[in-house]
Amino acid sequence: MLLKFPPSVPDNQKRDLTSQILDWCLTNGVVFENSDKPGNGLNVPVTLFPTPFSRHGYKNAIELQVLYNSLYHAVFKHPEFVIEQLSQLKEDEFTMKLLSIYENCSKRRTQNLTGGVFRSDYIVDKSRNSGEEGRQIKQVEFNTVSVSFGALSSKVTELHKFLAETAKTSVHGEVPVSKSLRDIAKGLATMHSAYGCQQAILLFVTQPNETNVMDQRLLEYELYREYGIISVRATLEQIHRKTTIGEQNRLIFIPTGAEISVVYYRAGYAPHEYATAADWTARERLEGSHAIQCPSIMTQLIGTKKIQQVLTKPGVIEQLQPNLTNTEIELIRKTFVGLWPLDETDLGKEGQKLAMQSPEKFVLKPQREGGGNNIYKKDIVKHLENIGHENWSSYVLMELIDPPKISNTILRNGDLVTGRVVSELGVFGTVLWDIEANKELMNNQAGFLLRTKTQKSNEGGIAAGFGCLDAVLLLSSR
Amino acid sequence: MLLKFPPSVPDNQKRDLTSQILDWCLTNGVVFENSDKPGNGLNVPVTLFPTPFSRHGYKNAIELQVLYNSLYHAVFKHPEFVIEQLSQLKEDEFTMKLLSIYENCSKRRTQNLTGGVFRSDYIVDKSRNSGEEGRQIKQVEFNTVSVSFGALSSKVTELHKFLAETAKTSVHGEVPVSKSLRDIAKGLATMHSAYGCQQAILLFVTQPNETNVMDQRLLEYELYREYGIISVRATLEQIHRKTTIGEQNRLIFIPTGAEISVVYYRAGYAPHEYATAADWTARERLEGSHAIQCPSIMTQLIGTKKIQQVLTKPGVIEQLQPNLTNTEIELIRKTFVGLWPLDETDLGKEGQKLAMQSPEKFVLKPQREGGGNNIYKKDIVKHLENIGHENWSSYVLMELIDPPKISNTILRNGDLVTGRVVSELGVFGTVLWDIEANKELMNNQAGFLLRTKTQKSNEGGIAAGFGCLDAVLLLSSR
């Protein structure tokens, strides 16, 4: 039986709680930086209470991460398979450009190690099963590049645990703290250590005018405090000017002459980020260098929706990972929703038919990473008609997930908004792979993230102004 | 020999450093809160580099703290002495009102324990001695109420240590980290523990529209994290509405029914804070309750300039503390500058004469705590003439300290200002006294604070918009 949620709190207590949350955010770096006014920060939008989440689904998602990390390693081990799949997107210049850099660089590769900080995102689906125990998480996407909010999730879950324990918010249940800040830093430190040069530095590839800076800086400070590793930050444009290739293909940071051990991308996933030829030159220099890429281009590309869709096809997992047990395959497969290409294959034609006949059941997503460009329900038909048939294959059609009905209050820009919300659970993973030996040197689950949006907004991008950061509330089952 | 300071840094490196400092401040709570726009924070002004400070003076100030704590305990043990001194300020309504509450409450006192978080402030004086070893710190004031920046000082000293170690700021020397956040929290936890009720809560008395909130919240979070102690915050006006006296004179926080163990004042030191009768009623309720006052009214009153001035009179320390060794007395006395009352005593008449004849050597300070109301040099004569002779006795005349010539760059509101600076070192102390037994139950040094201002501004109040937070740089002596 679910307890009453959200707790009914009188207005003056809501004001106290709001003030406590805002102060906690400002004190603990849960802020976005105003890129126009240096030194100005604004609290990251958060929920007033942690949101109830299926205990079974939470446990399931956490346990699945190492299986998913391995599944994506299996994909990575078959570059010819990835290239074949992505070659179907040949009208997508961005993917084609990345593939060509991949091919150029793999010929002259000197670094056998490649890293990843991943996040697998899920929404609980209530339509297919009834009752708490039967609730099933469904995968929204698997992210392999520029995964964010690992550090801030640790902070926000700490905030909600603190409030539950001290502020008498009447929240009854367990509020787990995400160890993502510690664990992602540990993952990066493992990559640095594997590079084998303690005095080398780590390079954060960043976007110009980034506002979600604290989420990255927290990792930088953790890396220094816990491991003595120094990091620098640079945009692709700055990397073009400030790095060079030294002896033995080493990547050198010119201002200090330091060798770079790991290139950690918090940018570089979207076409608009490569505005000039210099940006592409920078990316190719990084990819072709001896520094460990986190992620390399191939790892970035296996995170496309195209690969996610192909993995749902019967037999594909079994073919990529013949050693998986039936139980493991079933665990993964249960998180899949229906996914169709919209190309001219048989499956693609089925997808086209579904999209036109029952669009209310689907969301249309661009093949690439990014967010913010999804098309929902009846808008799908109009959109497909507008873009012309020849561009349909750059989308995948995805079955909509039907989340449970929950209300909560979101605190954004000092205002409280109460209403129906949808929560998305992301689980982080860190990996290190040896390309030559085809081996997983590291495969870890690395904490989690709960993002919550009001049901009206379709996207959950927090930095973009929708949704907010949240914490998982595991209600007592009695 | 002093090394070149500040280091000459090219402009682009200064930009990088600025960006690093601003991000570090926003990530670690080194912000002032905008009281008009909840959830908005602005970085606290800081120096770009830690400022060189006499190693001898720094060591001296740290060591002196327990002696000063004890000296003020000796003053506290002689309330009749304090009352006699302060009765000379009978035209000061605020002090008289505090004294009358003290007298009312001491009759019905049930709590034998009283606490304090103190800060003794010093400036290095270069005029009286030459050479690094000979440099002497001179006491500016001894603060016994609403002492601030303990938490932020820990953060800013960590920042400068981090930058010195990672950002190649060319700062050569030692940058000690102040343990004030940890140590002040420990002091408050000791008071809480001495109260003897673990589930009781701590009350922070705060000012309305406070901007220096993070400095207080950091202590609150540390108290919870390290000791499991829950704190609440309330202004005097809120305390009037939200507290009551329960059984056995216990102070009760009405919203939760919790018993209050320690009343920690981050407010209540200035007349304008007692705008209504309710504010005075609130203060009297706190003072007369069983909760440990940090500080009690008597402890607050011994921090007046009047007492500081009286302590410099020959023989007074010896009379209050007959057990001090000559060495200890000498250590304390060396930090004194000349202090004169401006009353009708012999010493007061000497002060009046000095003020009119050689004002350029002096600063005129109100008898009370506060800051922001000091009058310097030739302005003294005009001021004294304006206020009328009958009001002279509410001031003390203090010899000016002549600080060493040092330049640094201050970062405020995103702008860099370079020039001559003056630094003031504050050393924190925590005490717990048993009134009946006349015993010191706790006497600790609790970290330090360096505040730096441009030489033009005469006041060092940071929250008020002058000056900035800084860290001590102990240069190598070779």
Side-chain angles (χ1 to χ4, degrees), chain A residues 23 33 39 41 43 165 217 224, chain B residues 23 33 39 43 165 217 224:
Chain A
D23 286 356
E33 192 159 27
N43 82 291
E165 290 173 4
R217 288 288 197 185
Y224 182 70
Chain B
D23 286 356
E33 191 159 29
N43 81 292
E165 290 174 3
R217 289 288 196 183
Y224 183 70

Side-chain angles (χ1 to χ4, degrees), chain B residues 168-207:
Chain B
K168 303 192 185 298
T169 49
S170 313
V171 163
H172 300 287
E174 191 189 337
V175 181
V177 168
S178 169
K179 301 296 183 192
S180 34
L181 169 55
R182 185 196 69 182
D183 290 351
I184 294 171
K186 189 179 168 192
L188 292 168
T190 302
M191 298 172 208
H192 171 86
S193 166
Y195 182 84
C197 173
Q198 177 56 29
Q199 72 273 28
I201 63 171
L202 208 132
L203 172 64
F204 281 60
V205 185
T206 60
Q207 291 189 329

Side-chain angles (χ1 to χ4, degrees), chain B residues 460-473:
Chain B
I462 288 144
F466 314 92
C468 72
L469 296 185
D470 196 354
V472 163
L473 174 64

Side-chain angles (χ1 to χ4, degrees), chain A residues 63-72 321 324 327-329 331-332 443:
Chain A
E63 286 169 357
L64 269 166
Q65 191 59 35
V66 294
L67 285 180
Y68 261 118
N69 290 342
S70 282
L71 175 59
Y72 277 81
Q321 286 192 292
L324 277 188
T327 318
E328 289 169 331
I329 292 172
L331 271 175
I332 294 172
N443 174 7

Side-chain angles (χ1 to χ4, degrees), chain B residues 23-38:
Chain B
D23 286 356
W24 203 96
C25 288
L26 283 183
T27 309
N28 290 282
V30 185
V31 295
F32 290 139
E33 191 159 29
N34 184 334
S35 60
D36 294 329
K37 289 189 193 167

